[in-house]
Each structure stands twice: as C-alpha cells, then as structure tokens.
Amino acid sequence: MKVSLQWLNQYIDVSDFFNQPQVLADKITQAGLEVEDLEDPAKNLANVIVGQVKELASHPNADKLTLCQVDIGEGTLRQIVCGAKNHRQGDKVAVAIPGAVLPGDFAIKKSQIRGVDSLGMMCSEVELGLSNESAGIMILPKEAQVGTSFAEYMGLNDIIFELKVTPNRADCLSHLGLARELSALLDRPLKFPETTLKTTDKTSSSLVKLELKNSEWCPRYAGRAIFGVKVGPSPVWLKQSLEKIGLNSINNIVDVTNYVMMELGQPLHAFDATFISESKIIIDNSIKGEKFTTLDGTEIELSGDELTIRDGEKAVALAGIVGGKNSGVNEETKDIFLESAYFTAATVRKTSRRLGIQTDSCYRFSRGTDPDGVVEAMNRACHLIQQVAGGQVAKDFWDEYPLPIKKEPILVEHSYLEERLGYAVDFFDFAKWMSRLSCKVEEDSVASQCWVSAPMYRWDLWSDIDLVEEYGRLHGYDKIPEKLPSLSYEPLSEDKEYTHQKQWNQKLCEEGFLQAVNYNFVSKDFEIQLLGNEADEKTTGLVTIAEAVKISNPISEDYNVMRRRVFTGLFKNLVYNYRHGSEYGRLFETGHVFYSSGEEYKQNMHLGLCAWGQKNQLWQKEKSRPVVYDVKTAIENLLESLHIPSWQWREFPQGKVPTYLHPYQTTVLFLEGRMVGYMGSLHPSLLDDNKIRTGAAMAELDMQKIMRGQPRVPQAKAISKFPAVTRDFSFVMSSEAKVSDRIQKMKKISGSLLQKVEVFDEFTGGQLKEGERSVSFRLTFQDMDGTLNEQRLAQLQKEMLS
Amino acid sequence: MTYICLMLVEKANQIYEEAKAAIKSAPDSKTLYNVKVNFLGKQGQLSALMREMVQLPKEERPEFGKLVNEKKQNLENHYESREQELKKLELQQLIENEKLDLTLPGPDRDLGKIHPIAKVIDDISSILNFLGYSVQTGPLIEKDWFNFEALNIPQDHPARDEQDTFYIDETHVLRTHTSPVQIHTMLKQSPPFRAIAPGPVFRCDSDVSHSPNFHQIEALLIDKNVSMADLKGTIAFFVREFFGPEIKTRFRPSFFPFTEPSAEVDCSCPICKGKGCRMCKNSGWIEIGGSGLVNPKVLEQANIDPKEWQGFAFGFGIERMAIIKYGVPDIRLFSDNDIRFLSQF
C-alpha cells in the first residue's frame, strides 16, 4: 500500500520527519509494518518551473523547430527552442531550466540549437517521469501560477511510503490506520477528520428502503441519501491525493468514496438512485444463473452463492467487491445512495477468488474491516461530497446491525507474559502500551493479571499470546535477551532418508562425480520423448507409471509434471553442459521421483548418474574404455562401501531395454536376488539428435531398495601370514560368454584360497576366429593355514583350464 | 736373500704399484671390480705370485708370504675406499639423472563436489545437530491439511495469497514450505523434542530472484517454558556458527499464521560486516528468515496441549543462505548444474 506523508500528517503530526523520512520508515519497519520503498515524487523536478509561452515563432534555420519566448516569472523572457508542435501562444507549460536533472539522469544545460541559444526545455509528461507516453509537451491548465515550482504546483512535494502490510494487520490499510499505529508508537495525539454535515429535512428512506436479508454474511449495512449532487471533475487536492498513491481520478463522487477508503480503510459505494428500481436496496444472495455486468464492463454469471446488493429486480453490486454497470454514478446523476457496510472477510474472499476479481475494496474486506467504523466513514464521505459536489444530505440514515459483534476481553497473566518473552516485564508498562493501542485495560486487584479489551478493528488480537506479541514488538524486539534452552532429554534419531542421501552424496563425490540438483518437475512432453516406452518395474527394478503426476496449475509447460526419473534432469544437464563447451562431465543426483498409487501420491529416492566424454590425460597409456565402465565402477565402489556382500549385473529381462539406451551396452543390477536399478550407454541416435559427439552413459538406482538392511557393519577377518602366489590365465571365449560367469566359475573352484581376481587384458583379432576373444586374468591365491604347495596349485590350475 | 727372491720381491712391488694405480684411476665401480679380479682375485696376479713362492728356499718363504699378504691387504684397503668413493659419485650421478619437473601435472583424478544447496543444508544441519536437533523429512506432494489448515492457514485465509501454490488436485499441493514437517513430527513424536526439516519447496513464482523449486530448512523445538529469548539465543548461536563469531542477530516483528509472536530474522551483513554494501542494500543488515513461538492453535491441531507445552520454530531459505555465504550472483546457477559452477564448491 502506498502512503503519502503529507496525507498522513493530517491525522498525526509527523512534520518533523519530512526531512528525514528514512527515520520514520525504520520506526515503522521495526514495529512490524515493513516499509519496502521510499519514493520522493519531486526528486527529479528541482529547477522545473511553471511558465507561459509569450511569443512563438519558427526557428530561423529549421522548419521543424519553434522558437519560443517563455515567462517563468524572472522579469525577463527566456528563449527556448522546442521540437514539439502542440503548444500555442499563451499556453502554460513546465519549463526545465539549466541545473534541472530530469528522470533518467537527463541534465538540462544551456545550449545552442541550429545556431540559436536555448535556455531550457519545455517538458513532456514522459520527460517529467509522470507518464509512459505523451504526444508533445505538457500543457498545464490556465490557473497554473507562472513562476511557481512545478513540483509544488503538482502537489508532489511529498514522500510516498510503499508499505508491506501483513495479512493480519488489515487495520493499517489506510492513512488513519497507520496514523493510529504511529500514535501508539510515538505517543502523539491523533486528529480525526471532519464529519460535520448540513442536512435537509428529507429522510434517507424517502430515497430507498433497505432490507438486510443475509445478516450472517453482512452483519452491518448503513446508507445515507444525498440529494441534488453535481457530478464533475474533482478539485485539484482530491485528484492529486489519489494520483500520488496510484489511483486514477474518475469523478468527484467516486473519488470521494476512494479517498475515504484510503483515509479510513472503509470501502464505500455510491448508487445512482434513479437506477434503483422500486426504490429498494436488498442485501441478499445472488440468483443462480443471473448475469451481472461489473462497472468496468465484465459480464459474469452468478452461482447463487455470492452476496449481492439488489434492487426490486436485479443485482446492482457484488457485495464488497465491485459495483454494477447498471447503477453507478455518471455525469447526469443527481440523487445518490451512499453505502457503508461490514461484509464478512470470508464471504468477500470466497467470491473474489471464485470470480477472479481483485479490487482495493475486496482486498480490505477480505482482510477484515471495522464494523464499528461504518457510520463514521459514511458521514465522512457525506461531508466531503457536500464539499466537492454540493447536494443535500438526508437528515437520517439507514443502519441495520441486528446482532452487534462483540469481542470478549482477554485475560493476560503477568507470569505468562514474562515466560513467553523470556524477560522481566513491568506490568504497568504493559498496561500503558495496551492503552496506547486503544485497548481497555482492567487490572485485577492483585495485579498479577489483567483483562484487556482490544478495539474491534484489531482482528489479530484474540488471545493472550497475541497481546504478548503486541507488547513484545512495541516495547522492542531488541529488548529480548539471548538464551540457549537447555537439553534435558534424548534427541530423536535422524531420519534415515536424509542420512542415507548424505552418505551417498559423499561416496559419489569420492568417485569424482559432481552433485546436481534439478527441479522436481519436468516437461511432460520432454520426459515422454526422452524416456519413450519406459520398461516397467519388472524389467528395470524401478517403479514406473504410465502417467506422470500432473501439476494442475504449472508455471509453464516446461515444468508441468513431477519427474519419474532423476535421469530426465541429468540428461538436460548433459545437453546444457555439452553445448556450453564441457565435452567431459560426471554428474550425479540423489532426489525424489513421484508416482501415484490409487488415491495416494508416493515418492521414492533415486540415485541418477550421468557421465560423458573422455579425459585426455598426459599419463594415460592405454586407449580409454567406454564411459559406461566409469559409471559401473562408481556404483560398485558405492556398493562396496556399503558392505553389500554380493551383486550381479544381468541382462534386461525379456530383452526389454529402454529405448534411450544402447541395446548392447545395458545391464540391470541385482542385489540379493532383487532388481534395484539399471545402467547403460546412451543410444547413439539420442546422442546424435542432441548433437553430442562423444560417448555418454547413465544409471538410475532405487535408494530405498539398496539401503534395505543398512547399516551393514563390516566384520573384520584375520590376515594370512603366509605368502601369496599369483597365476595368470588366458581364456579364449566366445564374445557372447560373460566374463562375470568365468570369474564366478574360478571363484567356485578355488573357494577361500582365491583372494583376488583381476582382468588385465582383452584381445580380439590376430589368430583368433571371428566371434572369439581372449581374456586374461591374474589370480592371487593365499592360504590362512600354511604356504601353498605346488601340488595344490597345479591341481587348481588343471581344474581352471578344464 | 737369493736372487730369485729379489726377483719375486721386485715383481710383487711392480704388481702392487700397477694395482694401486689401476684402483686409483678406475672410472667406475665396474672397472674397479675388474681391477680387483685381475689383481686380487683367486686367479689374479697376486695369487699367481704366491704360487711362484715354491721356487724360493724354505727359509725365505714366510718372509715373502708376509710381504705379499701385506701388499694384498693394502690394496684391498685402497680398493674399498675407492669403491666407497665411486658409489657416492655414481649415486650422485643417478640422482642427477632423475631430476623431475614437478610443475608437470599429476594424473588427473576427478574431484567430486557436493552441490552448494546440499552443502548449505549439511552445514546448517550439523550446527543444529549439536544443539540436539535431528533431521526429519516429509512428502513433497503434501495434503492441503498439512501444508495449510494445520498450520492455521484455513481455506479463506488471506495468507494463502502470499504463497502461490502449485496444486496437484483438490486436496494435494506441492508443499509451499517445509513447515508441514512440523506437523508430521508433532503427530509422530511426543514432546519434548527438537527437529530440523530441510528440503525442496515449491511456489508458482519465477523471476530473476525467485525459483519455482527452491529449498528451505526449518527448526522446531517443543518443550516446557519456551520463550522468545530461547528462540533468539538459538538463532544467534546458529548465525555465529554459520557466518562467523562477529555476526549479530536482530528480530523484527512480522506475521506468520503458524507462529505468535512472529519475527523476521536479520543478521548483520557478513559481506561488509555491517558497514553497508550492495548485498545488504547499504543497511548493514540482511534478512535471512522467519521465526516465532509456535502458535497455540497449531499445537492444538497436532494434539499437543498448549497449556503444558510450547515451542518455537525458525526457518531459512537455503538459496538465500548460499547466495550470502558464497556470493552466488544469479539464482539460476543453482538449477543449471553447469559443471563449471558445480566444481567451485
């Protein structure tokens, strides 16, 4: 909300802050109403003066320019060259003289234009920063006084605060509301605005009869008739007051209702009585299916669940939100019925949300207005209407308030106050602050507790804890000391998901992978395009659902479903990095994937790995192996560090390989007979489509499944004291046969004697036949109980080779 | 002395001088060894001379043998000292030949890095760990009741406007804050306890300084006689541990539906130490999070009696903490996962 300091000064003396507005802003912020911005509307208007064009001639050397002699009250005329065409002799204009620095750091200097001196500039609204567009220079009304400062003429010598009012402080959504807060804070008196009226003999009921049918949604409804108003433009003060805080001037009647809303926080509405059929105002629900056109011309259909203001035949306003086009004030309007009501916050909010209409009025109602201030605001508006539009105010007014709202006094115990704030409180000081907030305080005779009745407009004050906060913030949060609560009980154990994730992150860093953190949502189309017909849980070990969980109001189509695979994000990262020149990368992510199961939504923690490119190393002797082996090593080292005793890499069951993977470079991971994830090289055509000119591989694993049974605590074994023996074996194998099967066989033969198996060579070609390869293994044998004898070794060797 | 004896003595002297010269001039240990074999070995010249001793009369033999042995011993001494000398020289030579340019890079092994978001979460968690807080988690697709209702944000509450919510269906949202974990924990644990909830949160808002998928961490304490002073002391301790011992903490009144009293938390700017800079917009203070005593209405929702138990909660935006601590210039860097960015942490 925008607040004008000059306006505020009408209700509380803050003139001592005009020269130091930041000091006031800090005080307000420290009390809980954040001043987000301070704006000085006259900042760029120094040396801009109201002038009059006395003479107008063509520029001697340029057809498109004019040469003006301008009076700015200096006694002599100033010669100014001007490029605009819209000014005539005698026009009042805004003149920036040398020394002025207009918005956008535009400094005005004495200059020569096509050989003619120019001693300033006649400004357009754009140049003055008053508008985003303008045709030609700004022509001021005839009344403008030559020689006065332009800022003063425009009423811009002011400071505008941009106030962030938290939802609980609806009472501060007006100038008087803020003045009230400052009155408590600064301990200064509050001046209420003038409400005196000259009334006629006519009654309000002679104009309209009132019927309050739904007093649950509208507990109080007041209205007053004003006869014979003259609708027209608002006087300058009114217009400027509204424009400074960002409201447009419409006409004098509407402007007064807006002014009073910004002054007192009570939204008002003026009906043109001629359009009120049967002279009846009824406050009741809408009729299902009826059409209603708002003041700005939007047609909406009502559901029967909105509160409306109606006449004998139709809805004339959506209660608290917006008036109808059928009954608003126009230039012909003579008699008006001015509404001032209290609609409940929930009613207004519900309707405004359903219809998607946001107005200053519904903003205030939906946060809670003051039912006790209804009549005062109405009379204040009548007073101002009489002042700016003439007319006669009815001698009485309607005020339907069948069940007045009451707030119960709050019992506050001294000890409670001290316990919650954590410091000793002087209870009299507490009572003093409550009184400053216009609360009634009744002290208990013992004075260890008191009863506090908060004013109606303080919707945030209901219980003792609310008053603890009030005292705390007014007395100053800086008075709260710093203590550490003592721990006298056993802490909870940490959530496993978090500790596991942390452990995995650490392990993968040790494997040289960088951690990525992607959004949990992805583009549905992108994911489908990438994952294709993702194989199901039976073939990948990971839960897969045909449809990703949809977000019903996504921020964009790029993020419209919850991810089903962590890999989706990692693949995007691969493409991004490769395009940005990183031809080599190792990324991992531990994060959630989502699926629905019946009515429930579930999440699983996955590990995704993505690796691409080869490093050119100075020390590298052999040619590098496909990158998928790097991924494999990282996973195996992770499993090893978790002390998982055994795992196997197997083929995709039924050969159902995901389409984005290389069909002959994929494998699924089995852990104690359960499938827990998969790994593979990315399909060459996927890489090609994305212009990735290097090998790439991925893996995705289910963390929950792998972490079942964790932590596994390693059990230390004795180390053999006897010498180890190594033997090398080379086998000619078919390229279909698996190395893992061969290793398995060798392990089975040698039992506990075999300490280590290393593969040190793979060879094809040469003497070997097509479809054959030679694989060389180095086996390390060692016995716990003695030195291995040649016989035993020869025996093993024979069995290996059979 | 017999003539023959004179001849042999003469020969011994000659061999001796020759061997001595050869030892002295041997350029390397291999040549030296050959000299040894030639003169002192079993088949060497001195051994051959000894064998010629049979030509001497018996009475001259001991004298001559003694002489030759003395020469032999002498030569062996020469040999040993020369051998030492040469070994030293050769080692020196060898060391000199092994000169390395250690400015050459070593084998390039990749260094993995924790993402700054996870790093900040881990740092904050471990500070709060030793105050007795432990990490708890909750679902990211959250029931409306946990995300709003239980936290004193009913359906038509204006505070819902402040959080642009992603909806999954009528009753499920993407959690807009980590606060629903408070409710899960309160329902699961009986008081007293201390918990922290880090993780992703979602708001339907995206611009230069807002990401629709960002991270928060939030701490909750439920105990007896909990005060604002306990809250302030805990946060002040945390701030000093996280940003440095000289960093101060300040409370500003604010409003959160689930706490009462509520306070925004500012800390003195860790960049300029409170002098004023771009990060703190020259105010010397930086807003880092929100806090307050748990609203009694929230305790009631979670079946905890507010007359007996109270609590406090505070929370921070992880990205914001990372921006302040590591000076990250653009929020998009957190989600781009550019390896040139990730390798910096």
Side-chain angles (χ1 to χ4, degrees), chain A residues 529-581:
Chain A
Q529 203 194 331
L530 175 67
L531 300 181
N533 295 323
E534 170 66 275
D536 62 15
E537 187 175 9
K538 289 193 188 92
T539 56
T540 59
L542 304 178
V543 176
T544 308
I545 46 165
E547 286 269 322
V549 176
K550 278 200 197 82
I551 297 165
S552 60
N553 58 331
I555 200 155
S556 80
E557 293 311 303
D558 289 340
Y559 305 113
N560 55 2
V561 294
M562 303 306 287
R563 63 183 175 191
R564 293 181 291 169
R565 289 282 184 273
V566 167
F567 171 63
T568 318
L570 290 174
F571 182 70
K572 264 171 94 170
N573 300 153
L574 154 60
V575 174
Y576 174 96
N577 276 293
Y578 195 81
R579 289 199 185 143
H580 285 80

Side-chain angles (χ1 to χ4, degrees), chain A residues 498 501-503 505-506 515, chain B residues 114-129 135 196 198 217 242 318:
Chain A
Y498 170 75
Q501 191 182 8
K502 199 170 155 181
Q503 187 184 1
N505 292 347
Q506 207 52 55
Q515 185 185 11
Chain B
I114 296 284
H115 191 285
I117 295 291
K119 200 168 152 61
V120 169
I121 288 177
D122 291 346
D123 287 355
I124 295 179
S125 305
S126 40
I127 294 169
L128 292 170
N129 271 164
V135 171
I196 351 170
I217 189 161
F242 189 76
I318 299 296

Side-chain angles (χ1 to χ4, degrees), chain A residues 487 489-492, chain B residues 127-134 193-195:
Chain A
L487 182 67
Y489 47 89
E490 198 175 312
L492 303 176
Chain B
I127 294 169
L128 292 170
N129 271 164
F130 59 82
L131 290 183
Y133 294 76
S134 51
F193 59 79
R194 301 176 185 198

Side-chain angles (χ1 to χ4, degrees), chain A residues 618-769:
Chain A
L618 174 66
W619 310 93
Q620 199 169 290
K621 284 188 188 120
E622 294 158 36
K623 69 170 182 152
S624 17
R625 305 168 66 206
V627 61
V628 68
Y629 287 108
D630 281 10
V631 174
K632 183 174 184 247
T633 301
I635 294 172
E636 292 192 332
N637 284 350
L638 171 71
L639 298 174
E640 182 91 48
S641 75
L642 295 169
H643 308 292
I644 289 170
S646 69
W647 60 83
Q648 296 91 39
W649 296 101
R650 297 189 193 160
E651 278 179 38
F652 271 81
Q654 299 120 42
K656 280 187 186 164
V657 175
T659 50
Y660 52 93
L661 293 182
H662 189 303
Y664 298 109
Q665 297 182 6
T666 56
T667 171
V668 286
L669 178 62
F670 271 74
L671 223 88
E672 294 167 335
R674 288 149 43 86
M675 231 182 305
V676 296
Y678 59 97
M679 168 184 85
S681 300
L682 298 190
H683 199 286
S685 67
L686 176 66
L687 296 178
D688 194 52
D689 290 348
N690 288 282
K691 301 192 172 60
I692 293 163
R693 310 283 178 233
T694 182
M698 64 76 73
E700 181 132 354
L701 307 174
D702 184 324
M703 187 158 101
Q704 264 107 327
K705 279 189 180 173
I706 294 175
M707 294 309 275
R708 203 167 283 190
Q710 289 287 339
R712 292 169 197 257
V713 181
Q715 298 300 312
K717 280 178 274 186
I719 295 165
S720 170
K721 294 184 183 69
F722 303 98
V725 183
T726 60
R727 287 286 184 274
D728 292 350
F729 297 90
S730 289
F731 296 98
V732 175
M733 300 166 56
S734 93
S735 51
E736 296 298 310
K738 297 267 176 265
V739 166
S740 63
D741 292 341
R742 173 63 66 179
I743 293 176
Q744 215 49 48
K745 192 179 166 194
M746 293 191 287
K747 280 185 175 169
K748 211 171 156 191
I749 292 166
S750 13
S752 65
L753 291 182
L754 185 58
Q755 302 295 322
K756 203 160 69 175
V757 183
E758 292 157 285
V759 178
F760 66 90
D761 192 31
E762 190 196 10
F763 176 76
T764 50
Q767 305 278 315
L768 294 171
K769 289 189 209 118

Side-chain angles (χ1 to χ4, degrees), chain A residues 149-199:
Chain A
S149 118
F150 178 73
E152 193 187 318
Y153 166 74
M154 293 292 286
L156 293 174
N157 280 331
D158 200 350
I159 298 292
I160 307 296
F161 285 179
E162 182 69 57
L163 205 62
K164 188 180 168 191
V165 181
T166 50
N168 59 328
R169 293 304 303 274
D171 63 295
C172 287
L173 289 171
S174 66
H175 283 79
L176 187 82
L178 182 61
R180 209 157 44 197
E181 180 77 6
L182 285 174
S183 155
L185 208 59
L186 307 172
D187 200 14
R188 292 183 187 183
L190 195 63
K191 286 172 275 180
F192 285 94
E194 190 62 60
T195 54
T196 52
L197 297 172
K198 278 172 274 169
T199 55

